[in-house]
Amino acid sequence: MPYRIPIRMIQRKSKMLCFCAVTVLIFFGIYQTFTFADSTRTPRAFGDDLENEIKAIESKIRILEQKGSKKFPEVKFLTYKDRKRILITGGAGFVGSHLVDRLMMQGHEVTVVDNFFTGRKRNVEHWIGHENFELLHHDIVNPLYIEVDQIYHLASPASPPNYMYNPIKTLKTNTLGTINMLGLAKRVRARLLLASTSEVYGDPELHPQNEEYWGHVNPIGPRACYDEGKRVAETMCYAYEKQENVEVRVARIFNTFGPRMHMNDGRVVSNFILQALQNESITVYGEGEQTRSFQYVSDLVDGLMSLMNSNYSLPVNLGNPEEHTIMEFARIIRSIVGGDSKIIKKTAMEDDPQRRKPDITRAMKYLGWSPKVPLMVGINKTIEYFQNELRRSRHSERNFHMPDTLQI
Ligand code: NAD
Ligand code: UDP
Ligand code: UDP
């Protein structure tokens, strides 16, 4: 009670004080503007200045807006009925990112899950922000709960130096990771395609390799984490198919190359091209008599998509049957790139498969698929990509590759 009157008085006084202060400030501002502040400025000049400043701010806003608003390649429109929700594990990697491009261009909703062990965000950077695209930083060794219609399961290191770097992680990714993706497929009734490999044939005694061949793998050698990891991943697929009616597709992928291979990937195509481009020695492991057959990445993407959408559920080889020895391949790269790199022999890799060439009869028969891109065409595109990578990394610019159809 005793404090009521003084408080009201204080409130009234402070309101009056505020009112007086604001009035004085307004008058002082007007006075400054039109008289002393700048004797050279007339009210019109002041108005002009203000207008110029507003224009400058507007143009800055426009620049910021342009930086923020991103142009995306024109994607096809699919109706709700035709549009699928597609998960690509390992979608920020070399093969995965090309698959992302194709499925996005077709108008599907694509979710990429990647832990960025060997993949890079910039491989899919051109889709970030698109309403049909989502990038999840996630390790598939841990469970994943999302809703999808199809799963392309590509997550796994693929180059020998990468998968040998942490063999336990390679095993976990291919075993626990595959179980998780199959569990997800089972829960949401999605179809799952496994990116398996010609390595399931090991160092093969049958040549060329067809899908009936059971393989020749050293279960305790340096490549076992990958080879056996993929073999058990295949086993898991067929167990889920048999026991849980999960629809599975298994692609046995043979050596694939193209733009977006990692510079430090360590695989033969990227190594030889980068060595030749920099006039370094081209390193052939062993005598170079071992063979490989190389397919260009766009052919593989065609094959993966045909397999996913086919009714065929047994394993299918996807590769280009054109076979070369590694020594021949070193000479081919040197002759296309030019320069005067020497070809030198280094210690042979342990358990290195000696001959590899796919029998693609099954893919031709059930998918109507065969590779289209000639080796030289693919090699030239890949050389061009690595030339750019070298140029740009020298100038420490950011660089990312978009296929021809996506140049924007
Ligand atoms: P890559 O290394 O470029 O891509 C693999 C991707 O998987 C990377 O983005 C990586 O970060 C991601 N990844 C790895 N472990 C993961 C994990 N635990 N959780 C989430 N993401 C993970 O290799 P690539 O050449 O694009 O190969 C893709 C797939 O195709 C692999 O499964 C590989 O075994 C298979 N394959 C490729 C070839 C080839 O020549 N490129 C040949 C045979 C099989
Ligand atoms: N899982 C997952 N996402 C799902 C469903 C399952 O990651 O949407 C994982 C789950 O954590 C489990 C694995 O997939 O470890 C296998 O699932 P499944 O249902 O076959 O086995 P269960 O859960 O009965 O052991
Ligand atoms: N290779 C080579 N020099 C290199 C890299 C690889 O001679 O700098 C050989 C390797 O020993 C193998 C072949 O090239 O015989 C293909 O190797 P890559 O690592 O590309 O894949 P792989 O088919 O062995 O999985």
Side-chain angles (χ1 to χ4, degrees):
M1 265 310 178
Y3 296 108
R4 257 190 206 160
I5 296 167
I7 286 171
R8 271 202 209 120
M9 274 175 64
I10 291 166
Q11 281 175 337
R12 259 201 305 272
K13 277 191 178 162
S14 59
K15 269 184 195 164
M16 271 179 63
L17 271 172
C18 279
F19 177 76
C20 291
V22 170
T23 318
V24 167
L25 277 174
I26 289 171
F27 276 111
F28 183 70
I30 294 170
Y31 182 68
Q32 281 265 320
T33 307
F34 292 115
T35 56
F36 299 114
D38 183 351
S39 54
T40 60
R41 283 160 104 203
T42 60
R44 169 169 288 182
F46 174 75
D48 289 349
D49 283 356
L50 201 64
E51 213 165 279
N52 288 339
E53 275 189 28
I54 289 170
K55 273 187 190 151
I57 291 169
E58 276 174 351
S59 89
K60 277 184 191 159
I61 290 173
R62 262 196 303 279
I63 292 168
L64 282 172
E65 274 175 353
Q66 272 163 9
K67 274 191 189 163
S69 78
K70 205 164 151 183
K71 283 204 186 98
F72 295 105
E74 186 92 5
V75 304
K76 202 172 145 188
F77 174 77
L78 288 181
T79 60
Y80 181 73
K81 187 171 69 64
D82 296 327
R83 193 166 61 228
K84 291 198 168 61
R85 296 163 303 172
I86 301 177
L87 166 64
I88 306 180
T89 74
F94 157 54
V95 175
S97 62
H98 288 278
L99 184 59
V100 169
D101 289 344
R102 290 283 284 283
L103 293 169
M104 282 295 296
M105 294 301 281
Q106 285 193 350
H108 295 292
E109 287 173 27
V110 176
T111 300
V112 163
V113 163
D114 207 295
N115 69 350
F116 303 113
F117 173 47
T118 53
R120 294 165 292 179
K121 213 180 256 181
R122 72 186 170 100
N123 284 344
V124 289
E125 193 175 12
H126 46 285
W127 293 116
I128 293 175
H130 193 287
E131 59 180 335
N132 287 354
F133 181 76
E134 195 173 3
L135 176 61
L136 300 179
H137 188 166
H138 175 84
D139 191 316
I140 55 148
V141 165
N142 302 310
L144 175 72
Y145 288 85
I146 56 172
E147 308 302 313
V148 289
D149 304 309
Q150 290 187 339
I151 304 170
Y152 286 89
H153 175 32
L154 272 62
S156 165
S159 109
N162 285 340
Y163 65 66
M164 288 178 198
Y165 167 75
N166 187 342
I168 296 174
K169 183 68 189 188
T170 303
L171 277 165
K172 284 185 182 171
T173 297
N174 280 297
T175 55
L176 299 174
T178 302
I179 282 273
N180 283 335
M181 291 309 103
L182 284 162
L184 169 64
K186 175 182 120 183
R187 182 178 62 80
V188 299
R189 303 241 141 266
R191 184 179 286 181
L192 179 143
L193 180 148
L194 170 72
S196 185
T197 165
S198 52
E199 287 279 330
V200 298
Y201 302 125
D203 186 7
E205 300 133 312
L206 177 80
H207 193 78
Q209 295 80 51
N210 65 43
E211 294 87 347
E212 310 268 286
Y213 179 52
W214 289 358
H216 181 226
V217 173
N218 174 0
I220 55 168
R223 301 174 89 97
C225 58
Y226 183 69
D227 299 10
E228 297 291 17
K230 289 286 187 183
R231 283 166 70 95
V232 79
E234 288 195 10
T235 309
M236 286 169 177
C237 285
Y238 292 109
Y240 270 80
E241 180 187 61
K242 194 167 174 205
Q243 198 175 321
E244 304 287 356
N245 292 319
V246 174
E247 285 192 49
V248 296
R249 303 288 180 262
V250 174
R252 290 187 179 153
I253 304 170
F254 283 64
N255 297 63
T256 307
F257 71 96
R260 297 199 193 134
M261 290 186 93
H262 201 292
M263 297 247 272
N264 304 323
D265 187 282
R267 282 181 270 194
V268 69
V269 180
S270 42
N271 273 10
F272 284 4
I273 293 179
L274 284 165
Q275 287 162 344
L277 283 173
Q278 296 172 102
N279 276 323
E280 292 169 1
S281 301
I282 297 179
T283 54
V284 168
Y285 301 158
E287 290 304 307
E289 292 304 311
Q290 70 272 38
T291 68
R292 292 294 186 273
S293 314
F294 298 100
Q295 80 180 319
Y296 189 64
V297 65
S298 59
D299 282 332
L300 173 61
V301 170
D302 285 341
L304 291 174
M305 287 165 61
S306 313
L307 179 60
M308 174 63 102
N309 298 306
S310 75
N311 292 322
Y312 195 76
S313 65
L314 288 174
V316 178
N317 287 342
L318 294 176
N320 190 326
E322 188 184 322
E323 186 185 9
H324 292 278
T325 69
I326 293 302
M327 186 57 84
E328 265 166 26
F329 192 63
R331 295 198 183 107
I332 291 173
I333 298 289
R334 187 176 57 182
S335 74
I336 304 178
V337 172
D340 38 40
S341 289
K342 274 194 252 136
I343 296 177
I344 57 166
K345 291 183 187 169
K346 303 268 267 188
T347 320
M349 297 252 294
E350 199 181 330
D351 291 346
D352 201 353
Q354 290 307 295
R355 295 193 75 186
R356 186 182 287 162
K357 170 181 167 159
D359 177 334
I360 57 165
T361 314
R362 197 176 267 189
M364 293 197 293
K365 180 170 174 194
Y366 292 99
L367 312 180
W369 175 90
S370 58
K372 301 273 175 302
V373 182
L375 182 68
M376 293 305 159
V377 173
I379 292 284
N380 276 313
K381 287 186 182 216
T382 313
I383 290 173
E384 195 186 317
Y385 167 76
F386 280 119
Q387 266 166 341
N388 279 336
E389 287 281 288
L390 284 173
R391 198 174 307 126
R392 289 176 181 188
S393 59
R394 237 173 249 139
H395 293 100
S396 42
E397 281 171 19
R398 282 167 68 255
N399 51 61
F400 62 92
H401 171 80
M402 281 195 234
D404 304 340
T405 48
L406 291 179
Q407 291 298 353
I408 49 174

